[in-house]
Amino acid sequence: LVIGNEVETIGEKSFQCCNGLTSIVVPNNVVSIGGWAFESCKGLIRIEIGDGVIEIGEFCFSFCERLSNLKIGDNVKHIGRNAFDYCKGLSSVIIPNSVTTIDERAYNHCTSLSSVVIGDGVVDIGTEAFIGCDNLSTLIFGNHVQNIGDFAFCKCISLHSVVLPNNVLAIGNGAFYGCKEIAAIDLPNNLLKIGWEAFEGCEKLQNIEIPNSVDSIGGHCFKDCSSLMSVTIGKGIQYINGNVFEGCGNLVSATILCPIVGSWFRYSS
């Protein structure tokens, strides 16, 4: 596919289900790629998105199952919902610093994806953005991420450790649910809220320290973290739902600095 120098917009569904396409170079004169533009192009292997592109539309490259070579231009600001979902051939993604928002389900069930580098411009990671990325083992966050959406990394079962930047304010419901290989996670000192089931089923997590900045923790947050042995709960907690540590049968040490104590440790022994 050759896209001319006069083209500024690739419209919605322009090349949907064009299974014969194998390679696309989007030139710098193109500003936006519409929703579903290349959805279900089953033969597509390589995409190079030029530096003129600002917007990648929803479902744009969804179900391009053979896509293995992807370069995103340096001026893209927004990656739409489901933009690359079920791109099962992708093994690595570098999201440039220009991107501010990764929309919901943008890379969901990219089952070969093993490495993700999130640029410094990203502020919001949407709901289920990387859900079901079974092979994701390397995850590098940009410095300005503030919000990790609900179930954003749910069942990323190959993640071993997570380092969150200091600007993260909220971890959504189920954000790391079922990430059973995570053994270590450092919660940043500016964090305010941890959602329901955020780390439920992180079976290898051994220690957790909740900083003083956190004011609320959702129910079942650390449920069934069966290797968890030590917990420190900061003094800033104002609200905490029940059964936060349910099923944490190896928990032997809990340091509680906040004035509120409830049914957090129910069924934890």
Side-chain angles (χ1 to χ4, degrees):
L1 176 63
V2 178
I3 299 173
N5 293 332
E6 303 299 320
V7 177
E8 294 185 355
T9 301
I10 299 173
E12 289 190 358
K13 303 181 181 180
S14 292
F15 300 96
Q16 187 181 40
C17 299
C18 290
N19 293 330
L21 285 175
T22 59
S23 179
I24 299 167
V25 177
V26 179
N28 292 339
N29 45 281
V30 174
V31 175
S32 68
I33 306 173
W36 295 272
F38 297 94
E39 189 255 342
S40 293
C41 290
K42 303 293 186 182
L44 192 58
I45 296 170
R46 174 178 174 265
I47 301 168
E48 183 175 333
I49 297 173
D51 289 340
V53 174
I54 296 172
E55 174 87 12
I56 299 175
E58 60 185 353
F59 295 88
C60 191
F61 299 99
S62 178
F63 287 96
C64 293
E65 296 175 350
R66 295 183 63 195
L67 178 63
S68 58
N69 189 333
L70 170 65
K71 181 183 182 298
I72 300 174
D74 288 337
N75 288 305
V76 171
K77 296 186 182 301
H78 179 236
I79 298 174
R81 66 187 179 102
N82 300 79
F84 296 96
D85 72 338
Y86 290 91
C87 289
K88 296 181 178 181
L90 272 181
S91 60
S92 65
V93 168
I94 298 174
I95 296 171
N97 293 334
S98 57
V99 174
T100 58
T101 302
I102 303 170
D103 253 0
E104 59 192 82
R105 297 184 293 278
Y107 293 91
N108 92 89
H109 289 91
C110 292
T111 50
S112 297
L113 192 60
S114 61
S115 174
V116 172
V117 178
I118 297 172
D120 282 340
V122 173
V123 175
D124 293 307
I125 300 173
T127 297
E128 300 181 358
F130 294 90
I131 190 173
C133 292
D134 297 349
N135 284 296
L136 182 60
S137 58
T138 300
L139 175 59
I140 300 173
F141 287 94
N143 291 325
H144 295 100
V145 173
Q146 294 183 12
N147 180 60
I148 299 173
D150 294 348
F151 302 98
F153 298 95
C154 174
K155 297 189 176 179
C156 292
I157 58 175
S158 297
L159 274 179
H160 292 275
S161 64
V162 176
V163 178
L164 298 175
N166 286 330
N167 284 315
V168 172
L169 302 177
I171 299 173
N173 300 331
F176 295 93
Y177 179 101
C179 294
K180 60 184 181 179
E181 294 295 320
I182 290 180
I185 185 163
D186 293 325
L187 299 179
N189 289 327
N190 292 317
L191 184 65
L192 299 177
K193 300 182 186 303
I194 307 174
W196 281 74
E197 304 172 341
F199 299 98
E200 181 175 335
C202 294
E203 298 172 358
K204 293 191 177 179
L205 186 64
Q206 296 182 12
N207 305 289
I208 196 74
E209 184 172 339
I210 298 169
N212 293 330
S213 57
V214 174
D215 60 23
S216 67
I217 302 176
H220 297 172
C221 186
F222 297 97
K223 181 183 176 184
D224 294 333
C225 293
S226 53
S227 298
L228 193 63
M229 295 184 293
S230 174
V231 172
T232 300
I233 299 172
K235 62 185 179 182
I237 294 295
Q238 300 296 316
Y239 181 77
I240 189 165
N241 282 283
N243 299 4
V244 171
F245 298 99
E246 179 181 340
C248 297
N250 285 304
L251 187 61
V252 294
S253 174
T255 303
I256 302 172
L257 303 177
C258 66
I260 302 170
V261 179
S263 59
W264 311 345
F265 299 97
R266 190 181 185 191
Y267 311 127
S268 61
S269 61

